[in-house]
Amino acid sequence: MTNLLVAIKNIIENPVNELVEYYRGTNRANNMGDALEKYVKDAFCGIDNSTLDSDRDKKYSQYFSYLGNSNNPPDLILKNGDAVEVKKNESLNSAIALNSSYPKSKLYADDSRITVDCKNCEDTPWIEKDIIYVIGYNPKKTKQLKSICFVYGDCYAARKEIYAQFSDKISQGIQEIEGIELAATNELAKVKKVDPLGITDLRVRGMWHIESPMKVFKDIFVINNSAAFSLNAILLEEKYNAFPAVDRLFLEQIGVVRDIEIKSPNNPAKLLKAKLISYEK
C-alpha cells in the first residue's frame, strides 16, 4: 500500500529538479508534463530512474489500480486508495487548466467523464474517492522542477453540485433553442446539422480553470524563491490522522508538519482544521 505521505517521504529523500533529463536517457519522457507525471508515479511506488521498465511496470501494477490518459480524469488511482490528478504550471500564480472537467472535491464513480475501466478498476465497487491535485511548477523556458504541491480536493474545490448547476443550466438553455437537432454528448451540447446542407456540427464544451493552489494558499504555503526546490501539501486533519502512524512519524520527526486552519471551499465563514507539510531544499 502507498499513500500521499509515502510519496512525500520519497520525494524528500530523492528530490529531482531536472526531470526531463532525469528520464530522457531511457525515452521515458520527452516533455516536462510527461516527466512530472512519471516522477509522481515513481514517488508513490518508491522507485527511481534506475529501475528497469519491466520492474517499473510490476511496481505500477502493485501500487495502482488505474492509470488514466490525458482525456479522462484522473491520471491514476492508488490501489484501494486515493485518486491523483497531475498538472504542470509555468507560473506560481497562473490558473490551472482543467479542460472539460470541473474541479473535484471528490471523485465519484457515477461521473460521466471517467471511463468504464476507471469505474471498475478495483475488485470491490467504489462510489467515491478522495482526490489529490498535484501541481508541478517549472519556470517558463526552463526544464527545472522548482516546486511541487499536493492539495486534496476537499481543501480546494467546492462540492460537485456547485459546478454542475452551471453546466446543467447552460445545457438546458441550448436545448430550449427552437429548430436545432441535438446529439447525446458528455460535453455541454452537440448541435447537429447547423448549416442548410446538414454537414456541419457544433460542439459546445466547457473549459474550466481554477486558481493555482500557490495563489489560493499563498499565506499558508512556504515558498522561498531562492530555494532550489520546495514542496507543500495541504490535507484535512482527519485525513492526515487516518494515515499509518509510521508514515506520519517520519515527517513529524524531521519537522515538516504543522497545524493550520483553512477556509471551507463550501462556506468560507467556516474554518477547517488541516495539516501543512512543507519542505525546501
Side-chain angles (χ1 to χ4, degrees):
M1 296 288 290
T2 188
N3 59 55
L4 173 63
L5 304 192
V6 171
I8 291 174
K9 174 179 181 290
N10 291 331
I11 290 175
I12 290 175
E13 292 181 337
N14 183 35
V16 178
N17 294 105
E18 300 287 347
L19 287 186
V20 176
E21 295 302 320
Y22 182 67
Y23 286 110
R24 177 168 288 167
T26 52
N27 295 319
R28 289 182 179 136
N30 295 315
N31 59 62
M32 191 62 186
D34 290 343
L36 175 64
E37 186 173 328
K38 184 74 69 175
Y39 184 54
V40 170
K41 291 175 184 176
D42 287 0
F44 276 107
C45 296
I47 57 180
D48 59 31
N49 198 35
S50 64
T51 305
L52 297 174
D53 284 344
S54 57
D55 293 333
R56 175 177 264 100
D57 290 340
K58 290 177 182 177
K59 283 288 187 181
Y60 284 2
S61 181
Q62 178 183 349
Y63 287 110
F64 305 139
S65 60
Y66 176 77
L67 294 175
N69 56 62
S70 59
N71 297 321
N72 301 93
D75 289 314
L76 60 105
I77 293 179
L78 310 182
K79 190 165 287 187
N80 298 314
D82 301 329
V84 180
E85 185 74 8
V86 183
K87 298 290 183 181
K88 177 185 73 72
N89 219 8
E90 293 182 343
S91 168
L92 285 174
N93 293 321
S94 295
I96 307 300
L98 302 177
N99 299 324
S100 60
S101 294
Y102 52 73
K104 292 175 171 48
S105 59
K106 305 275 186 181
L107 182 70
Y108 293 95
D110 62 359
D111 188 333
S112 63
R113 292 172 179 82
I114 68 174
T115 66
V116 172
D117 291 312
C118 180
K119 296 174 183 180
N120 300 323
C121 67
E122 296 184 345
D123 295 335
T124 303
W126 60 276
I127 297 174
E128 70 176 56
K129 285 184 173 291
D130 292 338
I131 185 168
I132 309 167
Y133 284 97
V134 185
I135 315 298
Y137 160 60
N138 72 292
K140 195 171 184 178
K141 297 183 180 179
T142 76
K143 296 176 182 177
Q144 253 194 354
L145 179 65
K146 183 73 173 177
S147 180
I148 191 169
C149 71
F150 300 82
V151 180
Y152 270 92
D154 55 7
C155 298
Y156 187 38
R159 65 182 187 275
K160 64 178 181 178
E161 292 83 1
I162 297 294
Y163 308 105
Q165 66 177 333
F166 288 97
S167 296
D168 292 344
K169 287 178 180 178
I170 293 171
S171 296
Q172 182 179 351
I174 294 172
Q175 291 171 14
E176 292 174 355
I177 299 174
E178 294 184 2
I180 64 171
E181 180 182 337
L182 296 172
T185 179
N186 282 330
E187 298 176 348
L188 294 176
K190 184 174 182 180
V191 184
K192 301 285 289 182
K193 301 177 181 179
V194 172
D195 55 350
L197 290 177
I199 59 175
T200 306
D201 297 342
L202 171 65
R203 293 173 59 192
V204 184
R205 39 181 325 207
M207 294 296 289
W208 294 87
H209 288 75
I210 188 170
E211 285 191 356
S212 166
M214 302 289 193
K215 185 175 181 179
V216 174
F217 300 107
K218 65 181 184 297
D219 296 328
I220 296 174
F221 279 171
V222 178
I223 301 174
N224 182 354
N225 290 328
S226 63
F229 172 79
S230 64
L231 178 152
N232 286 277
I234 288 182
L235 64 164
L236 294 180
E237 183 180 74
E238 182 181 5
K239 179 71 177 183
Y240 177 81
N241 290 334
F243 285 125
V246 64
D247 298 331
R248 288 182 276 127
L249 183 61
F250 170 82
L251 298 177
E252 290 166 6
Q253 285 180 332
I254 63 173
V256 298
V257 183
R258 68 181 177 91
D259 296 326
I260 58 171
E261 290 185 326
I262 61 172
K263 294 178 182 178
S264 165
N266 298 304
N267 178 9
K270 181 180 180 181
L271 296 180
L272 305 177
K273 292 185 181 298
K275 294 285 187 179
L276 170 69
I277 301 171
S278 186
Y279 164 83
E280 66 178 28
K281 175 186 175 185

